[in-house]
Amino acid sequence: MQRSPPYRLGVDVGGTFTDLFLLDEGSGDTWRAKVPSTPSDQSLAVLSGVEEILSKTPNASDVVLHVVNHGTTVGTNAILEQKGAKVALVVTEGYRDILQIRRSQVPGGLASWITWKKPEPLAPLEMTVEAPGRLATDGSEVRTFDESALEERLQKLVGKELDAVTICLINSFANPAHELAARRVVCKIFPETPVSISSEVLSEIMEYERTITTVVNSYIEPAVAKYLDRLLHALQERAKHLRILRSDGGLSSIKLAKRFPVTWMLSGPAGGVSGVVSVVAEQTRFKNLITLDMGGTSTDVSLIENCAPRTRRETKVGDLVVRAPSVDVRTVGAGGGSIARVPEVTKALRVGPESASAVPGPACYRKGGDAATVTDANAVLGYLPRHLLNGSFEIDLDAAKKVVQQVADDLNVGLYEAAEGILKVSNETMYGALRLVSIEQGYDPKDFSLVAFGGAGPLHANALGVLMDSFPVIVPPSPGVLCALGEATTTLRHEISRPFMGVLEKTSKEDILNGYRLLLKEAVDVMCDAQGVLESKQSVLRLSDVRWQEHYFQADLRYQGQAHNVSVNLSLDALKRDGPSAIRDLFEAEHKRLFTYHLQSPVELMNLRIIVEEKKSKLPIRKLLKALSPNPPTSSIASFSTLIFSGSEYRECAVWTRSTLQSGHRLQGPCIITEMDSNTVVRPGFIAEIDDMGNILISPVSESSPSSLTMGKNPHEILDLDPATVDIFEHALRNARNEMDTLMTRTTMSPAIREQQDEFNVIAEPSGKMIVGQFGSFIGDFLDSWKGTIEEGDVFLTNDPYSVAGAISHHPDWLILMPIFANEKIIAWTANFGHMTDVGGSVPGSLPTGACSIFEEGIQIPVTKAASKGDWNQDLMDLIYRNVRLPEWNRCDVQALVAACTLAGQRMVDLYKRFGDKTYFATIEELLERNKRAVSSIIATAIPDEPVFFEDWIDDDGQGVGPWKIACTMSRENGRLMFDFSETDPQSPSSINFYLSINMDISSRRVVSINLPPHPASVDNDRTLSSDPSVVANDGFHSLMDVHIPEGSLLRPIRPAALSCRTHFLGRLLDLISGLLGQKAPEFMTAAGFSDSPHFMYSGYKDSGEWFQLYWLGFGGIPARPHGDGPDAHSLWPAMKSIPNEFLELYYPLCIETYATLPDSGGPGLYRGGNAQFIRWRFLSEGEISIHDDRWLSKPWGVLGGEPGQRSSKVLARVDGGREILGSKQDRIRVRKGDVLEWSTWGGGGWGNALHREPETVGLEIRRGLVSTKGAERYGVVVDKEGKVDAEGTKLLRSQMERQELGTRKEETKIFNRGGTWEELKEKCFEETGLAPPKDPREVELRGPMTRTKFYSAWKCRQR
């Protein structure tokens, strides 16, 4: 019997279609198929596709597939659709809320906490069990693991029908012993339930990331196992092997795929990149490639260097980020279905991320779509042929013109201009993503070719190649099924990593080599036993210069003090020869490429890794026939079309049929190349050539600038602004700012910058107006006061709030300011400030609570030139660093600030060169004016006619005096927004003063960006200019606002007033603004809880004699919102997150015994306020601590019947048994080894009447430990011993409470409930807090320069 040739089949499942690619390894023949996907059971489409594609082969009935390589979204869909397993979670005692707290981060900008809906944990709190026992970061045992106690605690889960169990214990990355013991116990009780342990899924430091990654593995494991078993059974007569594509582009056996499904959640995007490697990188001379996969909803981009895709150590699905290796694919919301719109408030052209999806789809697809999309714009311009899918489908051109004309009318431009504008804006979005994987990673796009695929990618490829200057632009054969081709042609892979933490310079090469030998043995064994690959057929993969060699490895490194790892690929031979210095050289080169600089600091080696891959045989893909002439025959022309480029019509342009073209054919643009699943646009001035693999290679006809050939007029000659240009410019500004943020958070030493993201950047135009940034610009004030020269290469440095009118608010904030020059003139300013961990002064951390003047707060740096014409004043910098406690950290963070500003400056120069002088400055002016028009409209419609007044307080000043009041009257007059802070208290003799920059803070970014709902329907949307959330905030509207802050007040203190404890008024100001606006639109307001950012500092000497110094920020309960509960123990500040506790324990003498939320601390309401943060810090070394906090006496107010949140408290439990109640603002508290700080923050206020809250929700929160049985009574809910709601008892109790409430509710609590008047709070202060009440400022003789002001005299008169 004749032997069947070996067939390889790639199958890629998408949302709409399932694509298949079949390769005969003997002949090189290939077949393709596309069948409708079956979302309810993806295997049905796979089997249908297999039958269809095999029917195209000779002897179809006899074909047995050697291997089926499958890319699937089964795991991704389980997460996105929340249809995964019922997962129980076993955690270390004290960490049951680890998924509830989520590192406390609220994604998004300053207002996002108002609208963000926190997703439910994948492992519910009621299914979480705490395991006794504790390990340290070095793997040693702190507390013995108690198996019997865990067995007893697990009994509550018996009968709960668990689908999977996750085990993740603190510090298990260093020692898996406790997790292994816990698994034995779990398997004893639940012998049939799959168990995932974190030390096997992700053996790396960072407890939340390890937990969520392992939980996701458990969450999708049962569903994917059933799917794979079902598919494997169905294919058993047709295929010998079934393999699954991993997220990193390799393949996994079914055995490993079922055990570690988290490694292949993003297999789809990886398939396309693998296809590019197979068809382009390995078959042509083009080895460096940037890929573009554009579909209907989004676009994926990635970078391939020397035939190897770049990978990253994380995978993102929806809101979830897990630590699993994946091809570094970045996704943006730009696809063929992206909707174009023109918001009324800004009249800007916006495209995406909203999509028409498959249904109703673009208007031209005849499925009922009525909004203009990118596809419709392509149709209007002629880029999309009238007949698609091999002539089986005719588009509705009239429908496309109708919807695009609506956009044109809104913009007041012509049809074609609107259509081209839509494509320009869409292309700019994709251009930003392409820059993200190239320029922002240190690569020059000119060294790469752009490869476009997906259904829509080839339509945009030529234009994007021009923007990137990446040629030739390459369109592979059958771009719509390239993912399936990649899956068919890739190979089995496995990787193993282990922690290896130590200072590189102190680590011997023998220890590193031994670590790699152990990894190699384990990896080889897994490949043999679980993947079926003999050792002789394995290759240890190097992801750098040479694709296939033996014994190449990876290492993760960082500078000591950083938290972001940089992965490098290294040679074992180089390590043997040069030792650890070889690794350092590789790391520093990579660090400089990524971040533009390197340091002299010690380098830490964090992880060792090995990647092993099945050896890849050369695949005999059949090549095209060679054409006899470069000119294709006219028979290859399917039709002719009129194409529009830069407003000009090109008539009778050929539409070529791709399947008829041969190697060597050359096609002159403008033209279209059409095929079944895609269409390629060749622009004027370009030529397309077909290579022997069937790739389309698009290149400029001449050596002239591609932009001048294809994009129309010379950019320097553009005089009239079009909407697309303005929006393209705005998009580029947003990207530049994001680059600054990314560099800062990845490279800095200070946790305040890195995790808490206490760094703010500004890009301004030459006169100092901010054109993109966080709060607003201070540069105009600087220019008004600076008397010296300003020259190219100058770098200005300051940390003095009084030098920049409060632009920075205390000494730890160091500000770098740089002028950006082009053509010998200033075209922009870039600035960035970041919070340094220490700047000297009377206490470690430089934030003394008891300071009476700024002279106690550390070194003062007035605005000065740190560098002149590029030459650094090193003597000055050495002097500055000499006066801080952590000079290496400050040195590193200053370099990061300078690098961020330099990077942004280069982006501005790029924009200036791209658009030319006149367009550059005209666009900036239009962006400022557009912002002004938008805010003017909002002021006119959202600010009430009558003035509103609100006041709030800081409880005390740390010196026994308080409360201290801030008060504001807001009004509207002649279209202007007025803020008057005249009734605020005078500056304090202590350090709670907050120098409020009029330009940076009250420029009312908070007001116009957060709290102004222009329409009732906006309550569920982002209220950041909710009519146009894409707008980039700038200083254009400053002239619409007047702010009066009296000199000598708490918000405008007179030098040398202390400022180091200003954080409380910074947070309270935002509660104040919320209260102001809420009075006129209470249904849209939130409760209180912004409150402040509680600080904790701990310093001293370790037993080794090494100095340690911790600066840490805590978080509280987020206020209840009009649409739901406030998240528990989260941050309201943009993108802030907690420092991993394992990181803290690694570097500081601490054991964080409890890290949880505090039940009942959130204010009851229809929507509950977020619960507070509760932490038990055990000190392992003598030292000193400092505390900054507030809301220990007052309570975060509730609104509209909601109750206030709980107060904060700090208690020090001494090792000798004593307990001390600490004040909210204290320095130099001595702690001994074994002392424990019990840290509780505030809870958020409630929203709405708690008696209207759903009783079953209260019952669920009791079972989750968020509300106690006693606390349920505040909601009028009665439960039995099992925590089940007693419906009759609840009805009776609520009736009684409602009658009582009617008789006692005070008039002033109808909107705000503060929990009592100040007199009432002080009367019960000692009884309820254990602390004496503060003395009123009016009863204290205040001394200082403010007493000479008229404001102070008026304040004194009011007190009488």
Side-chain angles (χ1 to χ4, degrees):
M1 184 176 68
Q2 186 178 4
R3 183 184 177 188
S4 174
Y7 287 93
R8 300 173 67 91
L9 178 66
V11 183
D12 184 72
V13 177
T16 305
F17 291 103
T18 293
D19 300 327
L20 299 95
F21 179 90
L22 180 64
L23 170 66
D24 180 340
E25 294 188 67
S27 66
D29 289 334
T30 61
W31 297 267
R32 297 162 176 80
K34 186 182 285 283
V35 299
S37 293
T38 50
S40 60
D41 183 354
Q42 292 186 8
S43 66
L44 297 178
V46 174
L47 298 173
S48 172
V50 168
E51 292 305 318
E52 178 172 327
I53 201 166
L54 290 183
S55 70
K56 301 179 180 182
T57 66
N59 304 315
S61 60
D62 297 329
V63 170
V64 176
L65 300 169
H66 174 67
V67 63
V68 175
N69 298 336
H70 182 23
T72 174
T73 58
V74 170
T76 304
N77 292 347
I79 293 172
L80 295 178
E81 297 169 7
Q82 299 183 8
K83 294 180 179 178
K86 188 176 184 180
V87 180
L89 175 63
V90 178
V91 297
T92 299
E93 233 170 22
Y95 282 81
R96 69 181 303 273
D97 291 325
I98 189 167
L99 295 184
Q100 185 77 5
I101 298 175
R102 287 174 40 116
R103 290 193 70 185
S104 299
Q105 185 179 27
V106 173
L110 188 59
S112 56
W113 65 270
I114 296 177
T115 56
W116 179 64
K117 296 181 179 179
K118 178 179 171 292
E120 286 292 316
L122 296 183
L125 267 173
E126 65 270 26
M127 305 288 284
T128 301
V129 173
E130 296 177 78
R134 185 64 149 80
L135 297 171
T137 54
D138 63 359
S140 62
E141 192 170 68
V142 177
R143 292 196 305 272
T144 303
F145 187 83
D146 189 335
E147 294 192 18
S148 60
L150 176 60
E151 185 172 347
E152 181 180 340
R153 294 174 186 182
L154 285 169
Q155 295 305 314
K156 77 171 189 176
L157 302 179
V158 174
K160 300 294 185 181
E161 299 181 352
L162 298 182
D163 296 318
V165 178
T166 293
I167 301 171
C168 186
L169 305 181
I170 290 296
N171 295 321
S172 61
F173 70 91
N175 182 353
H178 283 191
E179 287 195 349
L180 294 172
R183 181 163 62 184
R184 288 195 297 270
V185 176
V186 170
C187 290
K188 176 181 176 182
I189 301 174
F190 306 102
E192 303 300 321
T193 303
V195 180
S196 296
I197 66 174
S198 73
S199 52
E200 291 180 350
V201 174
L202 180 70
S203 184
E204 295 181 9
I205 192 171
M206 297 175 72
E207 68 278 1
Y208 170 73
E209 285 75 7
R210 196 170 63 254
T211 302
I212 190 62
T213 298
T214 312
V215 167
V216 167
N217 197 75
S218 292
Y219 186 75
I220 63 179
E221 183 177 358
V224 301
K226 290 177 183 177
Y227 171 76
L228 295 177
D229 287 340
R230 188 165 61 246
L231 183 58
L232 190 63
H233 176 75
L235 289 173
Q236 64 182 355
E237 300 297 327
R238 280 297 201 180
K240 293 182 178 180
H241 303 286
L242 174 64
R243 297 168 176 173
I244 302 301
L245 186 71
R246 293 161 47 104
S247 302
D248 62 4
L251 292 170
S252 176
S253 67
I254 293 298
K255 182 177 181 180
L256 284 182
K258 288 198 290 188
R259 185 180 175 192
F260 300 114
V262 74
T263 62
W264 49 275
M265 290 195 332
L266 287 184
S267 65
V273 180
S274 296
V276 172
V277 171
S278 296
V279 175
V280 181
E282 293 181 346
Q283 304 290 337
T284 73
R285 68 182 188 276
F286 306 109
K287 308 300 181 186
N288 293 336
L289 306 166
I290 300 172
T291 71
L292 175 90
D293 179 4
M294 184 179 181
T297 301
S298 61
T299 296
D300 297 328
V301 301
S302 67
L303 183 139
I304 297 169
E305 183 183 19
N306 293 327
C307 297
R310 283 188 61 81
T311 58
R312 56 178 172 171
R313 308 309 306 167
E314 64 183 27
T315 299
K316 183 175 183 181
V317 176
D319 284 338
L320 283 176
V321 178
V322 299
R323 290 293 178 91
S326 65
V327 174
D328 189 5
V329 173
R330 306 302 173 97
T331 302
V332 291
S338 294
I339 294 173
R341 66 199 185 284
V342 182
E344 180 64 31
V345 71
T346 57
K347 289 296 183 182
L349 175 59
R350 305 299 187 198
V351 182
E354 298 83 6
S355 174
S357 303
V359 178
C364 65
Y365 280 4
R366 302 177 184 270
K367 294 183 179 180
D370 58 2
T373 66
V374 170
T375 296
D376 293 312
N378 275 308
V380 168
L381 296 171
Y383 305 165
L384 204 61
R386 294 292 293 268
H387 294 88
L388 304 177
L389 303 177
N390 289 336
S392 64
F393 176 76
E394 182 179 2
I395 65 171
D396 187 343
L397 183 57
D398 290 338
K401 288 182 176 180
K402 180 180 178 180
V403 294
V404 174
Q405 186 62 54
Q406 293 172 357
V407 173
D409 293 343
D410 290 341
L411 293 172
N412 196 28
V413 299
L415 173 66
Y416 294 144
E417 185 177 350
E420 289 200 274
I422 291 170
L423 297 192
K424 287 179 182 178
V425 174
S426 178
N427 287 345
E428 192 67 22
T429 300
M430 291 183 280
Y431 178 46
L434 291 166
R435 290 174 61 96
L436 189 63
V437 298
S438 57
I439 295 171
E440 296 181 27
Q441 302 296 323
Y443 294 104
D444 186 345
K446 294 179 182 178
D447 298 330
F448 292 76
S449 295
L450 179 66
V451 182
F453 55 100
L459 284 167
H460 297 254
N462 197 167
L464 287 166
V466 171
L467 291 175
M468 295 288 288
D469 200 9
S470 300
F471 291 102
V473 170
I474 303 172
V475 180
S478 298
V481 297
L482 192 68
C483 290
L485 187 154
E487 287 150 13
T489 54
T490 192
T491 55
L492 290 163
R493 176 184 292 185
H494 188 67
E495 77 164 49
I496 295 179
S497 64
R498 289 290 179 267
F500 192 98
M501 292 183 287
V503 176
L504 184 62
E505 291 81 359
K506 298 180 181 179
T507 304
S508 71
K509 69 178 180 182
E510 287 76 18
D511 287 343
I512 301 173
L513 290 170
N514 285 334
Y516 276 127
R517 290 187 188 106
L518 292 173
L519 283 178
L520 178 58
K521 183 181 185 306
E522 185 178 352
V524 167
D525 289 346
V526 170
M527 287 291 282
C528 290
D529 300 338
Q531 305 258 59
V533 181
L534 298 177
E535 187 172 352
S536 61
K537 294 185 178 181
Q538 296 179 25
S539 180
V540 183
L541 179 64
R542 181 187 185 190
L543 303 179
S544 57
D545 297 336
V546 182
R547 181 143 176 89
W548 300 111
Q549 293 189 25
E550 293 188 358
H551 306 298
Y552 284 92
F553 306 85
Q554 283 190 345
D556 295 339
L557 305 105
R558 63 193 186 198
Y559 287 114
Q560 191 172 36
Q562 291 180 334
H564 176 78
N565 293 340
V566 173
S567 298
V568 298
N569 311 297
L570 56 129
S571 160
L572 212 61
D573 292 336
L575 178 60
K576 292 176 181 177
R577 182 181 64 249
D578 302 325
S581 63
I583 302 179
R584 178 169 186 130
D585 291 344
L586 290 167
F587 164 72
E588 293 197 327
E590 183 71 359
H591 194 281
K592 186 170 184 178
R593 186 183 62 76
L594 289 170
F595 308 120
T596 73
Y597 69 97
H598 60 77
L599 303 169
Q600 300 303 313
S601 302
V603 173
E604 289 183 308
L605 177 57
M606 300 301 295
N607 300 299
L608 302 181
R609 181 177 304 106
I610 186 168
I611 302 171
V612 184
E613 188 168 286
E614 176 187 18
K615 287 183 178 179
K616 191 172 187 179
S617 57
K618 187 172 179 63
L619 298 175
I621 298 177
R622 188 181 293 276
K623 297 183 179 181
L624 293 186
L625 294 174
K626 180 70 175 177
L628 299 177
S629 166
N631 302 314
T634 56
S635 60
S636 294
I637 299 176
S639 62
F640 292 91
S641 179
T642 297
L643 307 179
I644 311 297
F645 296 98
S646 301
S648 299
E649 291 189 13
Y650 294 79
R651 299 181 181 276
E652 295 297 309
C653 298
V655 179
W656 299 94
T657 302
R658 184 171 186 176
S659 61
T660 66
L661 300 176
Q662 296 179 334
S663 174
H665 277 152
R666 293 166 62 86
L667 310 174
Q668 183 76 41
C671 67
I672 307 294
I673 304 172
T674 187
E675 54 192 305
M676 188 273 289
D677 55 1
S678 191
N679 295 277
T680 301
V681 173
V682 184
R683 301 178 69 90
F686 288 83
I687 194 165
E689 181 175 0
I690 311 301
D691 72 3
D692 58 4
M693 294 301 301
N695 296 304
I696 301 172
L697 310 180
I698 303 174
S699 303
V701 171
S702 70
E703 297 298 323
S704 303
S705 167
S707 60
S708 64
L709 289 168
T710 188
M711 305 309 281
K713 301 174 182 178
N714 186 315
H716 296 267
E717 297 175 355
I718 297 175
L719 298 178
D720 297 326
L721 284 181
D722 63 272
T725 297
V726 178
D727 294 310
I728 287 169
F729 198 101
E730 183 180 47
H731 188 92
L733 289 175
R734 185 185 297 111
N735 286 344
R737 185 198 159 190
N738 290 341
E739 280 191 78
M740 298 177 78
D741 285 334
T742 299
L743 188 148
M744 291 298 297
T745 55
R746 288 188 176 184
T747 63
T748 47
M749 304 288 187
S750 172
I753 301 174
R754 192 179 60 230
E755 271 89 18
Q756 271 86 47
Q757 298 198 9
D758 191 357
E759 58 89 20
F760 299 106
N761 50 52
V762 166
I763 301 176
E765 48 81 68
S767 71
K769 293 178 183 176
M770 184 189 79
I771 53 178
V772 67
Q774 178 68 29
F775 283 114
S777 180
F778 45 82
I779 299 172
D781 293 331
F782 157 73
L783 292 173
D784 290 339
S785 61
W786 180 255
K787 305 304 180 186
T789 61
I790 299 175
E791 298 172 279
E792 188 169 5
D794 287 352
V795 178
F796 296 89
L797 170 66
T798 185
N799 76 335
D800 180 13
Y802 292 103
S803 291
V804 286
I808 50 177
S809 54
H810 56 183
H811 288 167
D813 289 342
W814 284 19
L815 169 66
I816 290 290
L817 179 65
M818 293 176 58
I820 307 303
F821 282 76
N823 289 349
E824 300 183 346
K825 68 177 181 182
I826 295 177
I827 63 162
W829 287 87
T830 61
N832 214 132
F833 75 73
H835 183 114
M836 304 292 157
T837 297
D838 190 275
V839 297
S842 60
V843 298
S846 313
L847 296 173
T849 61
C852 297
S853 75
I854 57 170
F855 302 110
E856 301 168 64
E857 298 176 357
I859 188 169
Q860 299 176 55
I861 311 170
V863 180
T864 188
K865 281 189 183 182
S868 180
K869 298 181 182 179
D871 293 328
W872 278 84
N873 187 340
Q874 200 55 54
D875 290 340
L876 170 65
M877 299 307 298
D878 289 342
L879 174 65
I880 292 171
Y881 296 139
R882 184 73 171 177
N883 282 274
V884 304
R885 294 178 177 86
L886 299 170
E888 284 305 310
W889 281 29
N890 293 55
R891 196 186 311 273
C892 170
D893 292 349
V894 165
Q895 285 190 256
L897 289 167
V898 172
C901 290
T902 302
L903 186 65
Q906 183 57 55
R907 302 297 178 251
M908 297 310 294
V909 171
D910 292 344
L911 280 175
Y912 180 82
K913 291 179 178 178
R914 177 181 173 187
F915 290 97
D917 184 274
K918 292 182 179 179
T919 303
Y920 173 89
F921 287 111
T923 303
I924 288 174
E925 194 60 36
E926 171 58 21
L927 285 170
L928 292 167
E929 184 61 28
R930 191 165 74 181
N931 190 275
K932 180 179 178 180
R933 292 194 301 267
V935 174
S936 178
S937 171
I938 290 175
I939 290 174
T941 57
I943 298 298
D945 292 327
E946 296 181 1
V948 290
F949 173 82
F950 196 71
E951 56 189 357
D952 211 337
W953 292 264
I954 292 294
D955 293 353
D956 74 312
D957 62 0
Q959 308 302 307
V961 179
W964 295 85
K965 181 176 75 172
I966 56 171
C968 182
T969 299
M970 181 181 71
S971 60
R972 186 182 69 195
E973 184 176 327
N974 298 324
R976 300 170 61 79
L977 188 58
M978 323 287 283
F979 294 92
D980 186 352
F981 287 85
S982 295
E983 295 193 40
T984 295
D985 281 347
Q987 71 185 56
S988 167
S990 77
S991 59
I992 62 170
N993 305 294
F994 173 40
Y995 195 149
L996 179 60
S997 168
I998 292 177
N999 284 336
M1000 284 197 68
D1001 296 284
I1002 279 296
S1003 59
S1004 283
R1005 199 79 50 210
R1006 164 76 173 177
V1007 177
V1008 302
S1009 303
I1010 302 175
N1011 285 308
L1012 298 182
H1015 190 277
S1018 71
V1019 71
D1020 288 327
N1021 299 316
D1022 187 348
R1023 287 190 265 177
T1024 307
L1025 294 177
S1026 59
S1027 298
D1028 187 6
S1030 299
V1031 70
V1032 169
N1034 62 45
D1035 284 349
F1037 65 88
H1038 277 187
S1039 61
L1040 298 174
M1041 299 191 180
D1042 286 331
V1043 182
H1044 175 62
I1045 304 175
E1047 184 180 29
S1049 68
L1050 284 163
L1051 301 181
R1052 196 180 171 192
I1054 301 171
R1055 190 176 189 274
L1059 305 168
S1060 52
C1061 208
R1062 97 309 182 219
T1063 185
H1064 312 297
F1065 272 125
L1066 172 60
R1068 194 70 83 256
L1069 177 70
L1070 300 176
D1071 273 346
L1072 177 85
I1073 298 297
S1074 182
L1076 273 173
L1077 293 158
Q1079 294 176 64
K1080 295 299 181 181
E1083 65 272 23
F1084 296 119
M1085 76 179 304
T1086 67
F1090 217 105
S1091 299
D1092 66 288
S1093 302
H1095 293 24
F1096 166 64
M1097 285 154 278
Y1098 173 41
S1099 59
Y1101 288 96
K1102 298 179 182 179
D1103 294 341
S1104 64
E1106 177 188 359
W1107 172 259
F1108 67 88
Q1109 184 174 328
L1110 172 64
Y1111 169 84
W1112 181 91
L1113 293 184
F1115 308 109
I1118 286 184
R1121 292 85 50 88
H1123 60 78
D1125 297 347
D1128 304 309
H1130 271 58
S1131 171
L1132 292 90
W1133 296 100
M1136 278 191 179
K1137 54 187 175 184
S1138 61
I1139 304 171
N1141 290 328
E1142 290 177 345
F1143 182 95
L1144 293 173
E1145 292 189 8
L1146 178 65
Y1147 291 104
Y1148 301 98
L1150 285 167
C1151 179
I1152 301 156
E1153 296 182 336
T1154 302
Y1155 192 80
T1157 65
L1158 191 62
D1160 297 331
S1161 55
L1166 171 64
Y1167 299 122
R1168 176 177 61 80
N1171 277 340
Q1173 182 184 62
F1174 177 71
I1175 304 174
R1176 286 175 50 86
W1177 305 84
R1178 182 173 295 277
F1179 303 107
L1180 305 182
S1181 178
E1182 292 189 7
E1184 291 185 344
I1185 63 172
S1186 296
I1187 293 172
H1188 288 223
D1189 200 8
D1190 203 66
R1191 292 290 194 197
W1192 65 273
L1193 178 54
S1194 65
K1195 302 176 182 180
W1197 30 269
V1199 295
L1200 299 177
E1203 298 294 322
Q1206 182 174 299
R1207 301 174 170 116
S1208 67
S1209 68
K1210 309 291 178 286
V1211 177
L1212 188 60
R1214 295 293 188 179
V1215 69
D1216 59 9
R1219 292 177 64 82
E1220 301 174 21
I1221 299 175
L1222 303 178
S1224 68
K1225 305 168 187 69
Q1226 279 189 248
D1227 287 328
R1228 296 197 177 282
I1229 304 166
R1230 295 294 302 176
V1231 294
R1232 299 184 295 273
K1233 184 176 181 179
D1235 287 350
V1236 174
L1237 174 64
E1238 297 174 358
W1239 169 283
S1240 302
T1241 58
W1242 68 93
W1247 192 99
N1249 193 328
L1251 300 182
H1252 298 163
R1253 188 169 176 85
E1254 178 60 46
E1256 290 300 330
T1257 300
V1258 179
L1260 177 62
E1261 293 200 323
I1262 291 173
R1263 295 191 294 277
R1264 290 180 170 178
L1266 300 172
V1267 174
S1268 68
T1269 301
K1270 180 69 175 175
E1273 295 177 2
R1274 299 172 69 188
Y1275 298 87
V1277 174
V1278 179
V1279 296
D1280 60 20
K1281 294 181 179 179
E1282 302 297 322
K1284 295 181 179 179
V1285 174
D1286 178 346
E1288 287 301 317
T1290 296
K1291 184 177 180 180
L1292 179 62
L1293 177 59
R1294 285 189 165 184
S1295 177
Q1296 295 171 349
M1297 293 176 69
E1298 285 173 348
R1299 288 196 299 271
Q1300 182 180 6
E1301 190 177 86
L1302 286 174
T1304 59
R1305 182 170 291 278
K1306 299 178 181 179
E1307 182 68 24
E1308 60 268 24
T1309 63
K1310 287 184 177 179
I1311 295 181
F1312 304 101
N1313 183 349
R1314 299 181 185 270
T1317 65
W1318 271 107
E1319 289 74 16
E1320 291 169 338
L1321 293 173
K1322 285 189 173 185
E1323 182 179 348
K1324 297 181 179 179
C1325 178
F1326 185 79
E1327 175 188 347
E1328 294 180 351
T1329 71
L1331 297 170
K1335 183 178 292 186
D1336 195 292
R1338 293 170 294 183
E1339 302 172 11
V1340 177
E1341 183 179 1
L1342 302 180
R1343 303 182 66 84
M1346 77 287 186
T1347 58
R1348 300 193 297 257
T1349 65
K1350 293 181 180 179
F1351 157 74
Y1352 182 80
S1353 299
W1355 178 80
K1356 289 289 287 184
C1357 289
R1358 288 199 301 272
Q1359 309 317 310
R1360 301 192 188 102

